[in-house]
């Protein structure tokens, strides 16, 4: 969802004065951007406006960055940079927004970004020199805007690549750190595996904050947004890893031994779910005033902090319970058995995927299509880690044994999730086919009833219903198909028919039809949520707050739909449909996060870790992490497969004006063309 825009009251006064003194085409005072991402007051784009808007939307979809482009005739004597900064400020543009303003008659342009925008001044200047200015010089206005969007996308893909990010290698590569997924991690995180004694990390108090504060000592809105988002990602990832670690401990020690830790985890999960619900309200299109928004962000920080602190209280006890360094041999044996079980399952999983690929379209399979090969690679990685652990244990190196045992555990757990996801997808698609057949039959019956009731009145909708039935049955009989997509089409026509028959249908019949539709929609929503959860869990290190927030909202909507089903099936259907949409959005956001992280390849890594000593004792420092906040986050970087060459250093020297900073904390630059 597009982020909401708030405009200061003073902007309204400026607008009134502006409209009274100048035509819109001249646009001398700063503009109120009511037209969305593209404002063409100079009327230079013509039929090219659609192409420009598509490029701007692609940048937002892929990177979460909104590029606002404004074409005016003239800045009317105002400094181009000051005009652009002022326009950005009165429109409340935030840290993930760019404003590019072009005065076509003045032949001047400028850009403005928040001080904390993720690209440096040099990177922004390079995009201007290499992508924007050449097109402007040729009076190619649409080309300049499209080149800006593409240039910023490339810069974001390649910005800040850390030196210590290793290139992914195969499980057979020598010297790769002991496992396939370890090779995907920044070098510092491999050392962090040495703290593999426990998943609860006891941090030093006072490590959390709410970001920088203004002169009054109160954090700015931007600081609150940044802090809330970071804390949510941190604690959500910690909860995910913690649940996995509890599973390890329960398998070894039984449920009674972990009861207090499970209770702490469940309480923290409830608080984090509430925080994500609030975060989703912050993301939605319903505006709040600044005081309300500030309160919502502070509540998110409070909930995430409370959840994290509760888990910290249990850290030392769980560290002693888990103590991988002291029990490496037991863990090695347990993991070896699990790996053998997965290996035995792989032929069956491959056979299932082969069958699914023959019967269903790629759009229906989603991200499970290659789960067998990914699981196979993880098993190989786990086997190597088991061997390394056994060798280290025999040599008396407890730390190295624990490190390798931890690697083996995580590779094994991820492989198990991938295998489970294939089974779940097979069941889900089979259920979708059954639902498609059932709903097609119901639609056919409803169409016949409508025709019998009043053939002339319902002729159009009856024809649509019968066409949808024919298409559904043809798809079922002649694969490959996407049963969920076809099911959505049948439901859409059924809803149209229901609306047409609403006046004639008695209340009992209407409720029963709504209940059946709601039940079917609930099934679809559960499947979508499960798919998103599986994707995020197996690529967790790259996934940010928006995907997680959408997934949390999907879970909440699903729970609401389940509660409403018996008493208000129509409302349940609405909530279930919303849950499905949020889950699909979560998957899209997650895919957008993962793609730039590894050049489009799947990223499968363990949960967050922090460096420390083996064993989790108070004297030895902190144990391997699972729960928690910012001190337990893993580092990371990005990979780019683009072959586009960068010329930042040379292009920067060609800039016709240097970067500037506004009094409101914005950066910018620009020049003549």
């Amino acid at each position: 969802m597009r982020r909401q825009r708030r405009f200061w009251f003073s902007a309204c006064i400026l607008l009134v004065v502006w409209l009274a003194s100048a035509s819109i085409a001249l646009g001398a005072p700063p503009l109120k951007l009511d037209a969305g991402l593209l404002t063409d007051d100079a009327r230079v784009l013509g039929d090219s406006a659609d192409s420009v808007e598509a490029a701007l939307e692609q940048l937002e979809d892929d990177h979460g960055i909104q590029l606002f482009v404004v074409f005016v005739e003239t800045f009317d004597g105002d400094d181009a940079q000051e005009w652009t900064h002022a326009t950005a400020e009165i429109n409340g543009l935030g840290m993930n927004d760019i404003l590019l303003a072009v005065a076509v008659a003045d032949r001047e342009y400028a850009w403005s970004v928040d001080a904390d925008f993720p690209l440096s001044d040099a990177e922004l200047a390079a995009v201007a020199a290499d992508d924007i200015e050449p097109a402007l010089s040729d009076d190619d206005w649409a080309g300049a805007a499209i080149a800006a969007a593409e240039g910023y996308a490339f810069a974001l893909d390649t910005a800040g690549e850390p030196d210590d990010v290793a290139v992914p290698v195969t499980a057979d590569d020598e010297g790769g750190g002991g496992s396939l997924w370890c090779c995907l991690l920044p070098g510092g995180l491999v050392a962090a595996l040495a703290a593999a004694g426990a998943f609860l990390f006891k941090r030093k108090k006072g490590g959390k904050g709410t970001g920088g504060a203004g002169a009054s000592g109160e954090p700015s809105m931007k600081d609150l947004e940044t802090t809330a988002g970071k804390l949510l990602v941190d604690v959500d990832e910690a909860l995910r890893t913690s649940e996995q670690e509890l599973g390890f401990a329960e398998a070894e020690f039984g449920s009674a031994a972990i009861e207090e830790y499970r209770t702490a985890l469940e309480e923290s999960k409830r608080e984090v779910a509430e925080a994500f619900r609030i975060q989703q309200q912050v993301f939605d299109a319903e505006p709040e005033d600044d005081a309300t928004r500030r309160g919502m962000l502070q509540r998110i920080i409070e909930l995430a902090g409370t959840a994290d602190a509760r888990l910290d209280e249990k850290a030392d006890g769980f560290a002693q319970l888990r103590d991988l360094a002291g029990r490496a041999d037991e863990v090695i044996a347990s993991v070896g058995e699990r790996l053998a079980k997965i290996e035995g399952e792989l032929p069956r999983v491959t056979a299932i995927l082969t069958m699914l690929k023959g019967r269903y379209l790629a759009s229906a399979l989603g991200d499970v299509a290659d789960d067998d090969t990914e699981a196979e690679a993880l098993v190989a990685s786990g086997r190597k880690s088991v061997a390394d652990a056994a060798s280290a244990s025999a040599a008396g190196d407890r730390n190295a044994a624990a490190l390798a045992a931890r690697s083996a555990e995580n590779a094994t757990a991820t492989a198990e999730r991938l295998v489970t996801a294939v089974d779940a997808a097979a069941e889900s698609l089979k259920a979708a086919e059954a639902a498609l057949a059932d709903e097609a039959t119901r639609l056919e019956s409803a169409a016949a009833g409508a025709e019998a009731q009043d053939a002339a009145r319902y002729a159009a909708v009856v024809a649509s219903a019968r066409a949808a039935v024919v298409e559904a049955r043809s798809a079922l009989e002649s694969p490959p198909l996407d049963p969920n997509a076809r099911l959505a089409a049948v439901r859409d026509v059924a809803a149209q028919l229901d609306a047409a028959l609403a006046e004639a249908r008695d209340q009992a019949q209407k409720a029963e039809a709504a209940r059946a539709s709601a039940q079917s929609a609930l099934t679809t929503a559960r499947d979508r949520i499960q798919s998103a959860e599986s994707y995020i869990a197996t690529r967790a290190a790259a996934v940010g707050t928006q995907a997680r927030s959408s997934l949390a909202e999907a879970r909440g909507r699903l729970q609401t739909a389940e509660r409403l089903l018996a008493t208000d099936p129509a409302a349940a259907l609405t909530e279930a449909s919303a849950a499905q949409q949020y889950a699909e959005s979560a998957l899209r956001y997650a895919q957008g996060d993962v793609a730039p992280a590894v050049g489009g390849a799947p990223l499968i890594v363990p949960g967050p870790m922090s460096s420390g000593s083996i064993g989790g004792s108070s004297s030895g420092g902190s144990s391997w992490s699972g729960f928690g906040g910012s001190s337990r986050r893993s580092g990371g970087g990005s990979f780019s497969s683009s072959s586009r060459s960068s010329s930042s250093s040379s292009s920067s020297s060609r800039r016709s004006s240097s970067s500037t900073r506004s009094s409101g904390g914005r950066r910018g630059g620009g020049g003549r063309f």
Side-chain angles (χ1 to χ4, degrees):
M1 287 181 285
R2 184 162 293 172
R3 294 178 55 200
Q4 59 204 40
R5 304 290 167 206
R6 294 178 178 79
F7 307 103
W8 302 339
F9 176 77
S10 59
C12 298
I13 304 301
L14 284 171
L15 185 62
V16 171
V17 174
W18 170 47
L19 289 174
S21 61
S23 70
I24 293 177
L26 293 178
L31 290 176
K32 182 177 179 182
L33 305 179
D34 290 329
L37 295 176
L38 179 61
T39 301
D40 182 21
D41 285 350
R43 297 179 175 85
V44 294
L45 295 179
D47 294 338
S48 300
D50 289 344
S51 298
V52 174
E53 289 180 340
L56 303 182
E57 290 169 0
Q58 188 67 49
L59 175 64
E60 183 179 5
D61 290 343
D62 291 347
H63 297 280
I65 298 296
Q66 293 190 118
L67 171 58
F68 293 82
V69 177
V70 176
F71 290 98
V72 294
E73 287 288 339
T74 175
F75 295 133
D76 201 30
D78 287 350
D79 178 79
Q81 188 64 81
E82 292 177 0
W83 190 97
T84 306
H85 280 326
T87 296
E89 288 169 359
I90 70 166
N91 285 281
L93 300 196
M95 64 184 295
N96 291 321
D97 301 326
I98 314 172
L99 174 61
L100 172 63
V102 180
V104 298
D106 293 345
R107 303 197 71 78
E108 289 185 283
Y109 77 104
W111 74 86
S112 176
V113 297
D114 186 88
D116 291 330
F117 187 79
L119 295 180
S120 68
D121 289 342
E123 289 165 332
L124 291 166
V127 173
D130 295 341
D131 301 304
I132 300 173
E133 275 194 11
L136 291 178
S137 297
D138 293 334
D139 292 346
D140 182 5
W141 314 113
I146 293 170
E150 294 174 347
Y152 291 134
F154 176 79
L156 289 162
D157 283 339
T158 57
E161 293 184 358
D163 293 336
D164 59 351
V165 175
V167 177
V169 297
T170 67
D172 294 329
D173 287 342
E174 293 295 332
S179 70
L180 174 66
W181 57 263
C182 270
C183 295
L184 294 174
L185 297 174
L189 287 188
V190 176
L193 286 172
F199 79 122
L200 292 165
F201 176 73
K202 190 71 171 179
R203 292 179 297 109
K204 293 181 180 179
K205 299 303 178 184
K208 291 178 185 167
T210 56
S216 65
E218 186 177 50
S220 68
M221 190 77 75
K222 179 184 67 180
D223 290 334
L224 288 175
E225 290 174 348
T226 301
T227 300
K230 184 178 187 305
L231 284 177
L232 270 179
V233 171
D234 289 349
V235 75
D236 185 58
E237 194 51 48
L239 287 173
R240 191 186 311 282
T241 308
S242 299
E243 191 154 35
Q244 174 179 299
E245 290 290 328
L246 275 176
F248 293 155
E250 185 172 18
E252 293 181 78
F253 306 112
S255 57
I258 66 160
E259 183 175 357
E260 64 176 298
Y261 308 113
R262 176 68 69 184
T263 299
L265 176 65
E266 293 303 323
E267 290 176 358
S268 292
K269 285 172 67 175
R270 284 192 290 271
E271 287 167 337
V272 172
E274 173 65 12
F276 272 120
R277 185 190 65 78
I278 298 171
Q279 180 81 331
Q280 191 61 45
Q281 292 176 347
V282 173
F283 284 152
D284 68 21
E286 293 296 326
E288 300 94 16
D289 58 61
D290 283 352
T292 301
R293 184 180 180 86
R294 178 176 291 274
M296 293 167 72
L297 293 169
Q298 289 172 334
R299 178 59 176 160
I300 291 170
I301 293 169
E302 177 187 352
L303 286 165
T306 300
D308 193 39
R310 176 183 296 103
L311 302 177
D312 277 345
E313 293 174 3
K314 303 295 182 183
D316 291 339
F318 196 88
Q320 295 172 11
L321 176 69
R322 199 77 171 94
D323 187 21
L324 275 180
R327 300 170 33 260
D329 290 340
E330 298 175 33
V331 175
I332 292 168
S334 174
V335 170
E337 293 174 1
R338 290 167 61 193
L339 286 170
K341 182 177 180 181
I342 298 170
E343 275 186 317
E345 290 284 292
L346 286 178
R348 180 186 65 82
V349 171
T350 299
I352 290 174
L353 282 174
T354 300
M355 180 274 292
L356 294 178
K357 290 174 183 178
R359 182 156 185 82
Y360 301 109
L361 296 171
S363 58
L365 291 178
D367 296 293
V368 304
D370 298 320
D371 277 8
D372 57 339
T373 56
E374 291 181 12
E376 184 177 10
L378 284 163
V379 167
S381 172
R383 287 290 189 197
K384 185 177 187 306
S385 294
V386 165
D388 291 343
S391 177
S393 179
D397 190 342
R398 297 178 63 202
N399 283 3
L403 173 80
R406 180 68 228 164
S407 298
E409 275 192 331
N410 276 282
T412 302
T414 304
E416 288 170 339
R417 284 196 295 268
L418 292 172
V419 168
T420 300
V422 173
D423 289 330
E427 290 299 318
S428 171
L429 290 168
K430 181 179 179 181
E433 283 200 61
L436 178 60
D438 290 345
E439 294 205 23
T441 299
R442 282 201 296 269
L443 180 58
E444 182 179 47
S445 177
E451 187 174 50
Q453 182 176 324
D454 192 334
R457 180 179 181 181
Y458 300 122
V461 71
V462 165
S464 296
R466 286 180 171 155
V469 169
V470 169
E471 290 171 358
R473 289 175 175 165
S474 175
L476 287 168
E477 293 168 2
S478 304
L481 76 155
D482 185 336
N484 286 305
R486 190 63 60 186
L487 187 57
V490 168
R491 286 173 179 164
D492 183 57
V493 176
Q496 296 174 30
L497 183 58
D498 283 345
L501 294 170
E503 293 181 358
R505 184 180 297 164
D506 63 59
Q507 194 63 33
Q509 291 175 319
K510 188 185 298 183
E512 183 58 33
R515 187 172 291 105
S517 294
Q519 186 64 63
S520 181
L522 277 167
T523 300
T524 300
R526 292 188 190 102
D527 293 340
R528 291 292 191 271
I529 289 172
Q530 184 179 54
S531 177
E533 286 175 337
S534 177
Y535 186 85
I536 291 172
T538 54
R539 295 151 179 90
V543 178
T545 183
Q546 200 152 11
R548 298 167 189 271
S549 180
S550 294
L551 180 57
E553 182 70 11
R555 294 190 191 107
R557 293 297 186 100
L558 178 63
Q559 291 174 355
T560 301
E562 289 170 339
R563 288 197 305 270
L564 290 171
L565 182 61
T567 58
D568 191 346
L573 176 59
T574 299
E575 291 295 316
S577 298
Q580 176 183 340
Q581 292 168 4
Y582 277 113
E584 290 169 350
S585 295
L587 185 57
R588 286 195 301 272
Y589 284 129
Q591 290 168 336
D593 290 338
V594 169
V598 291
L603 179 66
I604 304 174
V605 298
M609 290 162 285
S610 176
S611 59
S613 65
I614 295 294
S617 65
S618 58
S619 61
S622 302
S623 303
W624 180 85
S625 61
F627 283 139
S630 59
S631 62
R632 286 193 293 277
R633 288 292 296 152
S634 60
S638 62
F639 298 94
S640 174
S641 60
S642 174
S643 60
R644 182 185 187 273
S645 62
S646 173
S647 55
S648 298
S649 58
S650 62
S651 63
S652 296
S653 64
R654 298 198 304 272
R655 299 295 307 123
S656 53
S657 67
S658 61
S659 299
T660 66
R661 185 178 297 270
S662 75
S663 60
R666 300 191 66 80
R667 296 184 285 128
R672 301 187 59 81
F673 55 89

